[in-house]
Amino acid sequence: MIGEVPNVEVGQEYNTRRLAHDVGVHRPLQAGICGTLRTGAESIVVSGGYKDDEDYGDVIVYTGHGGQDGAGNQVSNQSLDDPGNAALVTSHLEGLPVRVLRGWQSDSAYAPESGYRYDGLYRVTSYGSKLGIDGYLIWQFRLEAYDGTPIPLVAQQQELPVTLAEPAGLNNAAVAEGNEAPERVTSTVQRIVRSSVVKRQVKAWHDNRCQICDLRIEVPGGIYSEGAHIQALGTPHNGPDITGNILCLCPNCHVMLDAGAVVLSDDLSVVRDGAESGVLRTHPKHAIDLECVRHHRKRWRQ
């Protein structure tokens, strides 16, 4: 199950992982990642299992699975072929939410004093590899709390220093010299990424290849594409969330569609700068809703 578990509130505590398993918050009794390449990650446990983990409350830098010995030392490289790591990659590429369970074993200030605690939904905003503390390649995933997810309180939390300075005016001779060692603080910009079964279906039909420019973006661990609504969902456009209103596009073509730089004719010709520049690639199972096409075209071609 991706997303929230019915009748489970954020902050719910469990004495053991078995109890968290029984209610479906985190199903594995030992593994820290629950999920597959196909479905994405359902949940993770942050419990101090890897030395390179970092926990900032609303941001978690989570080390992937694999390469450890029984004493918790990294003794070999990690791989994105590991099912758990592959699941987190899918969650990033598809914008799927991940449940976070924190355990008492972690040295994080946000860990519970005992047992385990469900701390809500996070999204995987990025991932990458590096040499870990033990000298082997590890994969790390940055997770950010969704807007509205309450962050657990800590006993003593230091306030971030704030420096205020008067900006130089137009007639001021002061020169902004910058800072060779700028202070770094943790901040988060929350953005809910829409993801649905219909988007994934459209992307699967087209094998994640852009219907306009034919680009297929391969990234470590998977393929990236975007599901773009032809008629926007929000007010005042109120487009339907159906496969006929969704295209599989690369990020560039998605932006151009949303901003009206490209529109579609009723015969699905792609019109750019007032001239046809090709034909939308289609799939036998993917019927485009022409009413949505006309709404989009009217919006940008008054």
Side-chain angles (χ1 to χ4, degrees):
M1 178 184 294
I2 301 296
E4 296 285 10
V5 175
N7 303 317
V8 174
E9 300 291 335
V10 175
Q12 178 67 52
E13 297 185 351
Y14 306 94
N15 290 333
T16 65
R17 284 185 59 159
R18 166 62 70 177
L19 293 175
H21 159 87
D22 290 345
V23 297
V25 171
H26 185 75
R27 294 187 294 113
L29 295 177
Q30 291 187 332
I33 306 171
C34 177
T36 67
L37 170 65
R38 184 180 64 84
T39 63
E42 297 179 19
S43 56
I44 63 169
V45 177
V46 182
S47 59
Y50 287 85
K51 302 175 182 177
D52 296 88
D53 285 353
E54 302 173 49
D55 188 355
Y56 302 100
D58 57 350
V59 175
I60 299 170
V61 180
Y62 187 78
T63 306
H65 177 263
Q68 277 194 335
D69 62 13
N73 297 311
Q74 200 72 29
V75 295
S76 64
N77 295 332
Q78 293 184 346
S79 169
L80 289 183
D81 292 333
D82 179 279
N85 299 339
L88 285 169
V89 171
T90 297
S91 296
H92 169 67
L93 296 177
E94 299 290 343
L96 302 172
V98 179
R99 294 189 298 275
V100 168
L101 191 73
R102 284 185 171 93
W104 64 271
Q105 306 95 324
S106 172
D107 60 2
S108 165
Y110 299 94
E113 294 184 0
S114 62
Y116 298 85
R117 186 185 62 233
Y118 171 55
D119 282 343
L121 297 180
Y122 285 62
R123 59 193 179 92
V124 184
T125 59
S126 63
Y127 66 99
S129 63
K130 73 171 190 178
L131 286 181
I133 293 173
D134 289 332
Y136 291 92
L137 183 141
I138 59 173
W139 285 92
Q140 290 195 307
F141 302 84
R142 178 186 173 95
L143 293 97
E144 299 181 8
Y146 273 89
D147 193 15
T149 297
I151 307 304
L153 298 176
V154 296
Q156 292 182 344
Q157 185 174 7
Q158 292 183 342
E159 293 184 3
L160 296 174
V162 177
T163 302
L164 299 177
E166 286 294 327
L170 293 176
N171 298 322
N172 195 319
V175 177
E177 297 180 353
N179 188 345
E180 291 185 0
E183 178 187 3
R184 286 167 168 80
V185 297
T186 300
S187 63
T188 306
V189 176
Q190 302 288 354
R191 181 173 65 90
I192 296 179
V193 180
R194 286 196 184 101
S195 181
S196 64
V197 173
V198 290
K199 276 190 177 181
R200 299 187 76 182
Q201 178 61 78
V202 169
K203 293 197 281 186
W205 281 335
H206 296 279
D207 194 25
N208 294 287
R209 191 177 297 279
C210 180
Q211 290 180 254
I212 292 178
C213 73
D214 210 42
L215 178 65
R216 189 171 189 266
I217 302 175
E218 297 190 21
V219 298
I223 310 295
Y224 182 74
S225 65
E226 297 182 354
H229 287 89
I230 303 169
Q231 179 180 347
L233 296 187
T235 304
H237 311 292
N238 301 319
D241 194 19
I242 59 174
T243 58
N245 189 35
I246 295 174
L247 301 178
C248 177
L249 301 180
C250 70
N252 281 350
C253 290
H254 189 172
V255 170
M256 289 191 288
L257 180 79
D258 284 353
V262 298
V263 296
L264 300 175
S265 300
D266 282 2
D267 63 0
L268 300 184
S269 296
V270 178
V271 179
R272 185 178 308 175
D273 296 327
E276 291 187 5
S277 62
V279 178
L280 189 77
R281 194 187 72 256
T282 58
H283 185 280
K285 294 182 178 180
H286 186 200
I288 305 298
D289 190 323
L290 292 182
E291 287 303 315
C292 296
V293 169
R294 291 165 187 150
H295 186 283
H296 176 267
R297 189 171 64 240
K298 182 178 179 181
R299 174 186 174 188
W300 294 109
R301 293 290 184 268
Q302 295 291 345

